Amino acid sequence: MTVKVSAISRAVLAGLLAAGIGASAGHAADDSRLRGWTLARQLCSDCHVIGRTPQPGTFVGPAFLRIANMPSTTGPALNVFLQNHHQRMPSLRLDRDEMDAVIDYILSLKGIEGLAP
Ligand code: HEC
């Protein structure tokens, strides 16, 4: 996928790099994922299956596992998605940290199998 590197995605990339540097210093990446999972459970789980196995309920949005494994899903793409308005998904006002954590969590599902189609 080619993404035009706009000012916004540059800022995003800087944020991701900063997060990466934090990760090499310890378990920051794991912490961020865990925080992302906690946030996802609170904010996204009404509409999305957020883990490897579906939590009980009915979901209007695609499972995070499926989203994570779409080739088009990258950190910057998720950033853009979460900062824009959507017809069928409400705008969620996450702050920068929360957004990064949720994105870390979703990306951590890449390559994981589970969830029947
Ligand atoms: C009220 C229901 C609802 C909530 C809450 C919700 N979503 Fe969604 N989400 C949707 C729907 C519906 C779609 C499909 C949108 C579409 O196809 O236009 C979607 C799509 C998405 C996609 C894009 C998938 C793609 O096709 O590219 C991502 C990423 C996503 N949601 C992330 C989140 C995250 C992260 C949260 C929590 C912070 C969240 N959503 C909370 C309903 C919701």
Side-chain angles (χ1 to χ4, degrees), residues 7-22:
I8 184 170
S9 57
R10 259 201 295 275
V12 163
L13 283 174
L16 289 175
L17 285 175
I21 288 159

Side-chain angles (χ1 to χ4, degrees), residues 26 38 48 51 55 65 73 86 91 93 98-99 102 114:
T38 308
H48 294 274
Q55 69 270 21
L65 203 61
T73 298
H86 303 280
S91 293
R93 296 181 187 283
E98 292 171 332
M99 211 179 290
V102 168

Side-chain angles (χ1 to χ4, degrees), residues 29-41 44 49-53 55 64-65 68 78 98-110 112:
D30 286 349
D31 288 353
S32 177
R33 259 173 242 159
L34 187 61
R35 182 151 182 255
W37 175 79
T38 308
L39 285 164
R41 213 179 38 165
C44 323
V49 170
I50 63 162
R52 293 173 204 208
T53 45
Q55 69 270 21
F64 280 4
L65 203 61
L78 288 174
E98 292 171 332
M99 211 179 290
D100 285 345
V102 168
I103 290 169
D104 272 357
Y105 171 67
I106 295 177
L107 292 178
S108 76
L109 299 172
K110 254 191 200 295
I112 292 177

Side-chain angles (χ1 to χ4, degrees), residues 39-40 42-48 50 59-64 67 70 72-73 77-78 81-82 86-90 92 94 102-103 106:
L39 285 164
Q42 291 166 350
L43 302 172
C44 323
S45 64
D46 281 350
C47 302
H48 294 274
I50 63 162
F59 309 98
V60 294
F64 280 4
I67 294 172
M70 297 190 302
S72 57
T73 298
L78 288 174
F81 179 85
L82 292 176
H86 303 280
Q87 285 211 312
R88 290 165 57 225
M89 181 171 139
L92 300 147
L94 300 174
V102 168
I103 290 169
I106 295 177

